[in-house]
Amino acid sequence: MQYHFNDIEAKWQKYWAENQTFKASNNSDKPKYYVLDMFPYPSGAGLHVGHPLGYIASDIYARYKRHKGFNVLHPQGYDSFGLPAEQYAIQTGQHPAITTETNIKTYRRQLDQIGFSFDWSREVRTSTPEYYKWTQWIFIQLFESWYNNDSNKAEEISTLVAKFSAEGNANVNSVCDDNIESFSAEQWNAFDSKKQQEILLHYRLTYLAETEVNWCPALGTVLANDEIVNGVSERGGHPVMRKKMTQWSMRISAYAERLLQGLDTIDWTDSLKESQRNWIGKSVGASVTFNVIPNVTLSAVEESLKIDVFTTRPDTIFGVSFMTLAPEHDLVSKITTPEQKTEVEAYILATAKRSERDRMADVKTISGAFTGAYAEHPFSKEPIPIWIGDYVLAGYGTGAVMSVPCGDQRDYDFAKHFNIAIPNVFEGADISEEAFASKDNVVIANSDFLNGMNYKKASKRAIYDLEQMGQGEGKTNYRLRDAVFSRQRYWGEPFPVYYVNGMPQMIDKAHLPITLPEVEKYLPTETGEPPLGRADVWAWDTNTNTVVSNVNLSAVEGEDNGIYPLELNTMPGWAGSSWYFFSYMEEKAKRGEDFASQDALNYWENVDLYIGGSEHATGHLLYSRFWTKFLKDRAFVGVDEPFKKLINQGMILGTSAFIYREDGTNTYLSKGLVKDKKVAPIHVKVQYVNASDELNIEDLKNDAEFGADYKDAEFILEDGVYKVGREVEKMSKSKYNVVSPDAICEQYGADSLRLYEMFLGPLEQAKPWNTAGITGVHGFLKKLWKLYVGEAGLIVNDASPTKDNLKTLHKTIKKVQEDIENFSFNTSVSTFMIAVNELTAQKCTSKAILEPLLVLLSPYAPHITEELFSQLGNEGSIATAPFPIFEASHLVESSKNYPISFNGKMRFTLELPMDMSKDEIEKTVMANEKTIAQLEGRTPKKVIVVPGKIVNIVG
């Protein structure tokens, strides 16, 4: 019987689907285990062989846990809102929902053919109204909450209103906007509704504010920092500029300390934790207030203004020789003198074209502009020039720094470039070439009352004196900024928000979801509004609680018919992915009244194992932790962290193929002919290149996409063939090095693909794909098949296993279990190969050995093991068969094959019991006929016996 892998795989995929083999239960006596992959965005290109790497690893672990007796939840779904579908809609006019549905069908087919044990009964799609209803609901809960520093958690906004009504805001300890005016209870109660709403927006966990954003004109939307690469949009490579817009933001900064502390409670890699720690960026120091000096010149500042800065080095305050404001800082326009206005405005315009990441990363370019204004030093009272510079960011800290060039390299470079004084406040430090940034063994000098103090003492004293003067205080600062939550796109979650007199109002839960309206085009409007501004039916009728036509909006000033405009922005891509792991916990049929029932949430709690890419470290993974902590505060969930253990899989790289065009010609040189000639390397599709790196020129010339470019080209061959160049790069459609899993599954089978991806190397590392290498694991599966099935059919029987059979099985059990629990899947594949080789050599046919071997291999190669398990006479699926138990006794050697040497040369071996004494070993060896023959009647001088190792007869 042949190994017909295509038929076998189709058969068992059908069986799993029809029998819902992998459906999890919310009521089970088994211990629970929740395994989750970061769900995919369904792109039009479908999966390539790099995508399933993490899915295969998680599937092995999920299947292993089922074998170990766990109730495993291993769901899958789609992060189906996304910019690519919208871009396609802009180009073609096709609704993104249609594109997305088509792409999902491709993904589902590909995922099914690889044999994943997903519980598809719990599938989620972030773009379906029944799902984003609850994304909208969570947004409303955030809006209806504030962060109470006294209780260190989020609370309902009604508790804050009660405080205001009873005592005003003087004693409210909350995370809120800066510079909120103080008011009494009497004043609060006298404020009209609009004024009260405006004040509450300063405290809510999601709020409207004018913020500096990354605006991409080509895409017509705001981008998050992690959506920008090298100053351009990650999607499409379009220019990005800084711009002020009124946006929805989320007060993630309220959770900065808890997000830091929580990292100590979860099993994540140190590198990933460090990424989040750096992003959150905790700093301990002082807040210092500098007064802007009025009337410095005839045209200078007239009003009394202040600049607040945060510094981690208050000990160096006497080293301040200039102030630097972010070009976007609100004070810049107020303090710039008429003489400096042109220069300052030009600099602000130039800075707006650079992203924040670009500005932070660029330490070589020094630029700035003097405002013409001065601030007063809080202690010396000396005037300090105020500059603007793009190395200061408006969103980090206060958007202003006290520049101490002797102690900070960027300040030092800035001062040197613009010829600003560099006073030295460090005793004995040489600052002639660079700043002295160390805190160790510092002695402060040239600093009045701080002279002679070390870093800690000087910092404490400076903070104390600033507090006494009312010009500063000790403070902890975080780099983490509130997250902009608005996007000027169509294909995203609509906000459940309408506006009355410019104030946002939430739509009641009973009327959710608010679904996306139809629009004629998916572009921003001609007046710059987001695409939803094109909708004709996009107003909220508070009389009927329905979305109605815009023509019903009140046209007459002062007239109110209860119909109001809806929010035109949509939510960002990370909204739906920040809570989807909770949705999976509830069975689909019960996802109606809540995003998940308390019973389901209490049973599954959080994700036990999460696998995905490290690129999400400061995006999805941070936002998910934030939302989970918020939902815990409001008692909607019972856990503080979403993911207990997290593993980042590495990347499978593509092996690109290059042809070489000689400069200025249409001639292409084979790789070996290039030598010192000037050529341009050009990517070609890898499907036109064989395992020997030989290009099929005819196929290239007939390519539907690029064939015309090569019709008249001349290809110079070497030894009758055209050899391409090879280079390992990221697997990408743009590099034409993508390998489809469809072709691999067709030619070699899904089990071969699964085993090969694991065999390539450690899960966390990047490794190159080489299709030729898959033949090795495919050959292994054929050998496995022959161990069970002969020409006439099944050859397994009830024969008693030999000692060697048992040894092979149990060392395999031990190694595979250790490997799976350590996520060392690549070494397991080697172990399986060794086991099959040994059992083949042993001519093993014992069911007692070969059946448990199938269970060991089942997580890796589920189709072939299902088929052989069934052929052995078992009913149902192998998926829940108990994992074999390791018995160490089978690895304990009961005998030793001793090398018997004469004068140090081994002549023969003799198997003896391991428990035989030294004297018994010598007696037995000397009596052996082979020993007698070797000695030829001589009496040896001595016999050396090392029990368990050797016997050496001397003389």
Side-chain angles (χ1 to χ4, degrees):
M1 278 177 66
Q2 294 280 312
Y3 170 40
H4 298 295
F5 53 87
N6 294 124
D7 296 338
I8 290 168
E9 291 175 0
K11 169 187 171 181
W12 287 101
Q13 287 163 15
K14 184 169 183 275
Y15 175 91
W16 295 330
E18 289 175 350
N19 292 274
Q20 293 191 295
T21 304
F22 309 115
K23 185 175 182 181
S25 169
N26 283 9
N27 297 293
S28 175
D29 295 331
K30 296 178 181 180
K32 74 94 181 179
Y33 202 85
Y34 185 178
V35 182
L36 187 62
D37 303 287
M38 294 183 185
F39 61 171
Y41 171 74
S43 71
L47 295 172
H48 61 61
V49 292
H51 291 125
L53 179 68
Y55 301 159
I56 295 169
S58 67
D59 197 58
I60 288 169
Y61 206 79
R63 287 175 178 274
Y64 168 71
K65 281 295 188 179
R66 290 192 193 95
H67 287 308
K68 295 292 280 185
F70 285 79
N71 178 30
V72 175
L73 175 59
H74 186 39
Q76 187 57 283
Y78 303 98
D79 193 8
S80 48
F81 274 131
L83 193 53
E86 181 156 345
Q87 290 297 107
Y88 188 73
I90 291 168
Q91 293 162 11
T92 66
Q94 179 168 285
H95 197 287
I98 297 170
T99 309
T100 301
E101 180 63 33
T102 302
N103 295 349
I104 284 175
K105 285 177 180 175
T106 300
Y107 265 66
R108 177 61 188 271
R109 177 187 58 75
Q110 291 183 302
L111 291 169
D112 283 347
Q113 80 176 355
I114 301 173
F116 295 120
S117 63
F118 293 135
D119 179 356
W120 284 108
S121 72
R122 300 187 185 227
E123 177 192 314
V124 300
R125 301 181 185 185
T126 56
S127 60
T128 58
E130 56 268 24
Y131 178 85
Y132 69 67
K133 165 185 179 177
W134 297 106
T135 309
Q136 292 174 340
W137 176 82
I138 293 171
F139 173 84
I140 293 169
Q141 304 316 307
L142 283 154
F143 182 81
E144 298 294 353
S145 301
W146 65 293
Y147 200 91
N148 186 342
N149 281 329
D150 291 333
S151 63
N152 197 27
K153 67 175 188 177
E155 296 180 5
E156 287 189 62
I157 201 76
S158 58
T159 62
L160 181 63
V161 173
K163 283 179 181 286
F164 289 168
S165 297
E167 55 190 72
N169 70 343
N171 297 318
V172 170
N173 183 15
S174 70
V175 179
C176 55
D177 295 346
D178 295 329
N179 305 318
I180 298 175
E181 61 184 87
S182 181
F183 53 82
S184 65
E186 290 74 24
Q187 288 173 308
W188 169 262
N189 293 320
F191 290 150
D192 61 23
S193 174
K194 185 174 182 181
K195 176 69 172 175
Q196 289 183 344
Q197 288 180 62
E198 287 173 346
I199 291 170
L200 288 174
L201 275 176
H202 296 302
Y203 292 86
R204 295 184 187 275
L205 285 184
T206 186
Y207 59 94
L208 275 176
E210 189 178 68
T211 54
E212 281 280 333
V213 296
N214 302 310
W215 173 251
C216 180
L219 297 177
T221 191
V222 167
L223 299 176
N225 282 334
D226 56 305
E227 294 174 309
I228 302 166
V229 178
N230 299 324
V232 297
S233 64
E234 185 178 34
R235 175 73 184 173
H238 302 294
V240 176
M241 62 184 292
R242 300 290 290 170
K243 180 180 177 181
K244 283 192 174 182
M245 295 179 71
T246 299
Q247 302 277 293
W248 282 103
S249 289
M250 291 220 164
R251 214 177 293 276
I252 188 175
S253 58
Y255 286 84
E257 185 61 30
R258 283 171 61 185
L259 288 166
L260 273 178
Q261 298 300 325
L263 290 171
D264 295 332
T265 69
I266 50 182
D267 183 8
W268 292 16
T269 61
D270 290 339
S271 60
L272 195 63
K273 288 183 179 183
E274 198 58 27
S275 291
Q276 290 210 350
R277 288 192 185 103
N278 291 337
W279 193 260
I280 294 165
K282 182 177 182 178
S283 305
V284 178
S287 172
V288 185
T289 300
F290 288 79
N291 295 317
V292 179
I293 300 173
N295 300 316
V296 176
T297 68
L298 293 175
S299 58
V301 182
E302 295 296 335
E303 55 183 307
S304 176
L305 298 171
K306 299 178 186 299
I307 299 173
D308 292 318
V309 303
F310 172 81
T311 177
T312 59
R313 296 295 303 270
D315 59 315
T316 64
I317 193 163
F318 281 93
V320 178
S321 63
F322 62 102
M323 308 282 295
T324 314
L325 306 186
E328 309 89 351
H329 197 292
D330 290 338
L331 279 180
V332 174
S333 61
K334 298 176 182 176
I335 66 173
T336 300
T337 61
E339 295 87 346
Q340 294 299 115
K341 188 177 180 183
T342 302
E343 182 185 346
V344 167
E345 287 181 349
Y347 186 76
I348 291 171
L349 188 63
T351 304
K353 296 174 183 175
R354 303 184 72 195
S355 73
E356 284 194 357
R357 279 193 173 178
D358 185 30
R359 286 161 59 181
M360 283 190 286
D362 183 7
V363 294
K364 294 180 179 178
T365 306
I366 301 168
S367 65
F370 178 44
T371 64
Y374 293 80
E376 180 186 78
H377 193 285
F379 293 126
S380 71
K381 306 304 179 184
E382 291 293 319
I384 304 167
I386 303 172
W387 287 70
I388 61 173
D390 66 1
Y391 72 99
V392 181
L393 305 178
Y396 180 47
T398 63
V401 298
M402 58 176 226
S403 299
V404 182
C406 70
D408 180 273
Q409 192 59 43
R410 272 203 154 182
D411 292 344
Y412 184 93
D413 294 339
F414 193 94
K416 282 277 188 184
H417 186 80
F418 289 106
N419 202 26
I420 302 171
I422 306 178
N424 190 354
V425 294
F426 303 119
E427 188 176 290
D430 179 10
I431 60 166
S432 60
E433 299 294 331
E434 61 182 1
F436 181 79
S438 175
K439 297 177 183 176
D440 301 327
N441 303 317
V442 163
V443 177
I444 299 299
N446 303 317
S447 299
D448 199 353
F449 58 90
L450 300 180
N451 287 341
M453 295 183 184
N454 63 21
Y455 156 68
K456 284 189 176 179
K457 282 187 177 178
S459 293
K460 284 184 180 178
R461 176 64 193 274
I463 291 170
Y464 174 79
D465 280 47
L466 286 166
E467 287 174 344
Q468 296 304 303
M469 297 165 60
Q471 279 193 253
E473 61 181 352
K475 187 177 181 182
T476 299
N477 199 42
Y478 298 92
R479 180 172 173 268
L480 181 68
R481 280 158 283 171
D482 288 345
V484 175
F485 200 67
S486 296
R487 296 292 185 270
Q488 292 66 48
R489 299 176 185 160
Y490 174 80
W491 192 231
E493 298 90 343
F495 283 89
V497 175
Y498 64 96
Y499 291 88
V500 179
N501 296 325
M503 287 288 101
Q505 313 296 319
M506 298 297 117
I507 293 170
D508 191 82
K509 173 185 172 183
H511 312 304
L512 300 181
I514 303 302
T515 58
L516 281 168
E518 294 296 323
V519 293
E520 55 163 334
K521 284 195 288 190
Y522 302 98
L523 289 164
T525 67
E526 285 69 21
T527 55
E529 292 177 325
L532 293 189
R534 294 182 178 276
D536 296 324
V537 181
W538 198 238
W540 185 250
D541 188 339
T542 57
N543 306 297
T544 61
N545 291 311
T546 56
V547 177
V548 297
S549 171
N550 300 351
V551 298
N552 295 312
L553 289 168
S554 301
V556 181
E557 191 174 338
E559 182 183 299
D560 188 344
N561 63 359
I563 299 174
Y564 307 104
L566 283 158
E567 172 67 62
L568 298 182
N569 290 305
T570 53
M571 298 185 195
W574 55 266
S577 62
S578 293
W579 72 276
Y580 77 111
F581 39 89
F582 288 125
S583 183
Y584 284 137
M585 295 180 185
E586 187 57 272
E587 295 169 12
K588 236 179 189 178
K590 298 179 181 177
R591 293 177 194 162
E593 294 305 308
D594 289 294
F595 64 89
S597 67
Q598 283 303 310
D599 287 344
L601 292 167
N602 292 339
Y603 178 74
W604 292 109
E605 294 183 324
N606 50 12
V607 177
D608 294 287
L609 173 64
Y610 197 37
I611 295 184
S614 60
E615 67 272 17
H616 300 290
T618 56
H620 158 64
L621 291 172
L622 199 61
Y623 299 136
S624 298
R625 295 183 63 220
F626 160 41
W627 277 31
T628 299
K629 290 179 188 300
F630 165 73
L631 292 169
K632 170 72 160 55
D633 287 353
R634 292 292 311 275
F636 298 124
V637 301
V639 294
D640 201 46
E641 290 286 347
F643 316 118
K644 286 182 185 175
K645 182 176 182 65
L646 175 67
I647 294 176
N648 296 134
Q649 84 275 9
M651 189 181 289
I652 289 184
L653 303 169
T655 305
S656 300
F658 293 89
I659 57 175
Y660 301 93
R661 185 177 62 208
E662 195 168 1
D663 282 5
T665 73
N666 198 20
T667 301
Y668 294 83
L669 302 178
S670 186
K671 185 176 187 296
L673 304 176
V674 172
K675 296 177 182 175
D676 57 354
K677 293 185 173 67
K678 289 187 177 181
V679 295
I682 298 169
H683 284 94
V684 291
K685 294 180 180 179
V686 291
Q687 57 261 46
Y688 300 146
V689 181
N690 66 18
S692 301
D693 296 340
E694 296 166 358
L695 175 69
N696 188 320
I697 297 170
E698 284 308 306
D699 283 358
L700 176 65
K701 288 187 173 185
N702 292 324
D703 182 84
E705 195 174 0
F706 300 111
D709 296 344
Y710 302 105
K711 282 292 181 190
D712 301 321
E714 182 183 5
F715 287 82
I716 309 299
L717 313 180
E718 53 180 316
D719 300 325
V721 295
Y722 188 99
K723 290 271 190 174
V724 299
R726 289 290 201 175
E727 190 174 320
V728 174
E729 301 181 288
K730 179 180 178 181
M731 193 171 284
S732 164
K733 192 178 173 184
S734 65
K735 299 182 189 301
Y736 308 107
N737 60 3
V738 167
V739 178
S740 168
D742 297 11
I744 300 297
C745 289
E746 177 64 30
Q747 189 172 353
Y748 300 102
D751 285 340
S752 292
L753 173 67
R754 291 169 66 104
L755 282 168
Y756 183 56
E757 295 222 358
M758 293 300 98
F759 190 54
L760 282 172
L763 178 62
E764 297 90 345
Q765 292 182 9
K767 44 257 176 187
W769 175 271
N770 180 4
T771 300
I774 202 169
T775 56
V777 291
H778 187 60
F780 157 71
L781 289 176
K782 288 191 205 175
K783 193 167 188 178
L784 174 79
W785 181 264
K786 288 177 183 176
L787 189 59
Y788 293 78
V789 182
E791 291 297 328
L794 195 69
I795 57 174
V796 181
N797 54 42
D798 293 326
S800 296
T802 67
K803 186 172 61 175
D804 285 343
N805 293 164
L806 288 166
K807 181 180 177 181
T808 295
L809 174 65
H810 284 272
K811 73 177 181 182
T812 305
I813 294 171
K814 183 176 187 291
K815 184 71 168 73
V816 170
Q817 182 161 326
E818 288 172 354
D819 284 347
I820 292 177
E821 291 181 353
N822 291 318
F823 302 94
S824 301
F825 303 120
N826 56 314
T827 51
S828 281
V829 180
S830 302
T831 301
F832 290 131
M833 291 175 174
I834 292 167
V836 168
N837 285 340
E838 288 182 2
L839 292 171
T840 301
Q842 295 161 15
K843 295 183 169 49
C844 177
T845 58
S846 172
K847 183 177 179 182
I849 299 296
L850 297 180
E851 184 168 291
L853 179 65
L854 291 175
V855 180
L856 292 178
L857 183 57
S858 167
Y860 293 79
H863 306 91
I864 191 171
T865 51
E866 284 277 24
E867 180 62 24
L868 293 171
F869 188 73
S870 173
Q871 289 199 27
L872 290 180
N874 294 289
E875 296 290 328
S877 171
I878 197 174
T880 52
F883 199 80
I885 296 170
F886 168 63
E887 293 179 23
S889 61
H890 293 299
L891 301 191
V892 176
E893 300 286 355
S894 60
S895 64
K896 164 70 178 177
N897 202 28
Y898 282 87
I900 311 301
S901 299
F902 293 81
N903 296 319
K905 292 182 179 180
M906 200 272 283
R907 298 301 183 187
F908 64 90
T909 60
L910 189 62
E911 190 163 341
L912 300 172
M914 283 292 288
D915 57 359
M916 189 176 266
S917 70
K918 187 175 180 179
D919 290 341
E920 288 174 319
I921 293 170
E922 182 177 340
K923 186 178 177 182
T924 304
V925 170
M926 292 306 293
N928 188 274
E929 58 184 22
K930 290 182 180 179
T931 303
I932 294 168
Q934 284 288 333
L935 287 173
E936 296 177 333
R938 298 189 313 274
T939 300
K941 291 178 182 178
K942 61 178 175 178
V943 178
I944 300 168
V945 176
V946 181
K949 291 189 177 178
I950 61 161
V951 176
N952 187 23
I953 299 168
V954 181

